[in-house]
Amino acid sequence: MRPPAPLPDELRSRPFHVRRAAELGVTRGRLGARDLSAPFRGVRAVARPAGLLDLCRAYAERMPERHVFGHETAAGLWGLPLPSRAPLPLHVSAPAPLRQPRVSGVVGHRLGSGIRTTHLAGLPLVAAADAWCQLAAALGHDDLVSAGDRLVGWRSPLVALDEIDAAIERFGPRHGAKRLRAARGDIRPGSASRRETRLRLRVLRAGFPEPELNAPIRLGAGWTAHGDLVFRQYGVLLEYDGEQHREDEVQFHRDVERLNDLAADGWIVIRVGRRLPPARALDQLERALRARGWHGIRVR
C-alpha cells in the first residue's frame, strides 16, 4: 500500500479544518486517510487529541465566532479541580441570538447576559470566576468549594475574593445561585489542593477550630516552613501526605528535615494519607488539640 501523500507544512503541527486543507490543494481522499483523526466533524488532525486542551484546539478550528468554551470545559482549562476528568463532551456557549452548537462530542449552552469572557492559550472561554458559577448546577457543595478554593489558591491564585463576589452577582438568580452563595461562605484563600479543601471541610464540620491554610511557620532553625492546616494557637499541624513526596527522594528528605525542625520547636504534626485515613486523623487531631488546651465540643 502506498503511503499517504505528505500534507502541506501548515497542516502538520496542529488540527485544521477541511476547508483550509482544500484551499491548500489537499484532496478529499487524502482527508479520509487512516493517518488522520477526525475529532470533530469538519476537523482533521495528524495526532489524535489527547487531552482537554488539544480537544479544545481541535474544536476551535470549526467554532463559530463569538462562541466560547464554558461550564466544565472552561473550568478544566482554568485548572479548577472537578470530580470527573473526562474531557468530553466539550461545553460550548453561544450568546443570543446565535444558535447553540449541535455537534457530536459537544454540549451547547446559551451564554447568559453578564457572563464575562476572555482568552486563555489562544482559546475563547468564560472568565474563571464566571466559569465557577456555571458549575453550580452540576456540582455538590464540597466539589464547588474545592473549585472555588482553587480560584484563590495558594501560590497561584486566579482571582481575588471580591471577583468571586462580583461573578456571583452577575450570575443572578440562575439555577444554582443558592449553592453558589453557600459555597462562597466556605471558600478560603490558601488551599493548595482539592484534598486539602475536603480535609479542611471535615475538620470544620467536626467542630474543631478553623485552621490557617499553608501558613508560614518561622522555625528556630532559622528558616520558614509552611503547613497545610495550621492550628497556631495550639502548636498543631495537620498535613495531607501526598504519595508523590515519597517517590521524590529530594522532596522526601526535605520533608524529613522540616518535620524534625517542627518537632524540635514543639509542634505536633499529624499526617493524613492512605496510611492514615481522615477519620483516624480527626481522632488524633482531637487528642492533640485537647493536650494543648482546646476545650471545644467535637461533632460526630
Side-chain angles (χ1 to χ4, degrees):
M1 181 180 295
R2 296 178 59 185
L7 293 169
D9 291 343
E10 177 185 324
L11 308 182
R12 294 179 185 175
S13 60
R14 53 175 293 172
F16 57 88
H17 198 285
V18 296
R19 285 198 303 266
R20 178 56 182 160
E23 292 171 358
L24 295 174
V26 180
T27 66
R28 183 175 298 181
R30 178 65 182 91
L31 292 172
R34 298 180 65 179
D35 67 321
L36 295 179
S37 67
F40 300 99
R41 184 178 179 182
V43 178
R44 300 290 186 272
V46 173
R48 183 178 297 275
L52 178 62
L53 182 59
D54 287 345
L55 282 165
C56 289
R57 284 173 171 162
Y59 183 75
E61 293 297 318
R62 60 157 296 152
M63 178 184 280
E65 189 175 355
R66 296 178 63 199
H67 284 207
V68 296
F69 295 107
H71 297 78
E72 286 92 334
T73 299
L77 290 170
W78 285 114
L80 305 190
L82 300 174
S84 172
R85 296 185 179 182
L88 289 175
L90 299 183
H91 292 262
V92 179
S93 298
L98 301 182
R99 295 178 62 182
Q100 300 176 35
R102 295 181 179 178
V103 181
S104 177
V106 174
V107 175
H109 300 271
R110 174 67 63 209
L111 184 65
S113 60
I115 301 298
R116 291 189 175 177
T117 63
T118 184
H119 284 77
L120 179 69
L123 298 170
L125 79 170
V126 172
D130 297 79
W132 175 77
C133 291
Q134 291 180 330
L135 297 175
L139 298 188
H141 180 82
D142 287 8
D143 288 324
L144 201 54
V145 174
S146 297
D149 271 6
R150 172 62 191 92
L151 289 174
V152 291
W154 190 46
R155 295 193 186 278
S156 57
L158 298 171
V159 301
L161 284 171
D162 60 355
E163 293 178 77
I164 297 178
D165 295 334
I168 292 174
E169 289 302 315
R170 291 193 296 271
F171 193 78
R174 296 181 177 93
H175 179 54
K178 289 184 178 180
R179 290 186 188 180
L180 286 180
R181 297 184 187 281
R184 171 62 183 87
D186 280 338
I187 291 175
R188 300 290 185 274
S191 179
S193 71
R194 180 173 183 265
R195 288 173 174 173
E196 283 185 20
T197 292
R198 297 179 76 87
L199 179 60
R200 172 176 64 85
L201 293 175
R202 292 193 66 158
V203 165
L204 295 180
R205 286 176 184 141
F208 295 118
E210 178 150 354
E212 301 173 53
L213 305 182
N214 287 289
I217 301 171
R218 185 65 181 172
L219 297 172
W223 61 287
T224 299
H226 287 82
D228 294 347
L229 278 66
V230 179
F231 302 85
R232 192 179 301 275
Q233 178 181 348
Y234 305 98
V236 176
L237 179 59
L238 190 59
E239 293 236 309
Y240 196 92
D241 187 12
E243 292 298 314
Q244 71 277 8
H245 288 202
R246 300 182 182 276
E247 297 170 0
D248 184 334
E249 185 175 356
V250 173
Q251 184 62 53
F252 175 79
H253 288 293
R254 286 177 179 169
D255 283 348
V256 170
E257 180 182 9
R258 183 172 65 99
L259 292 173
N260 288 343
D261 284 340
L262 284 164
D265 284 0
W267 285 83
I268 299 175
V269 181
I270 302 168
R271 306 187 77 169
V272 185
R274 292 180 181 177
R275 295 170 178 80
L276 181 63
R280 285 199 60 202
L282 293 186
D283 292 340
Q284 294 183 1
L285 176 63
E286 180 179 10
R287 293 197 298 271
L289 289 174
R290 292 199 186 285
R292 294 294 177 85
W294 181 66
H295 301 292
I297 298 175
R298 180 177 174 183
V299 179
R300 295 182 183 271

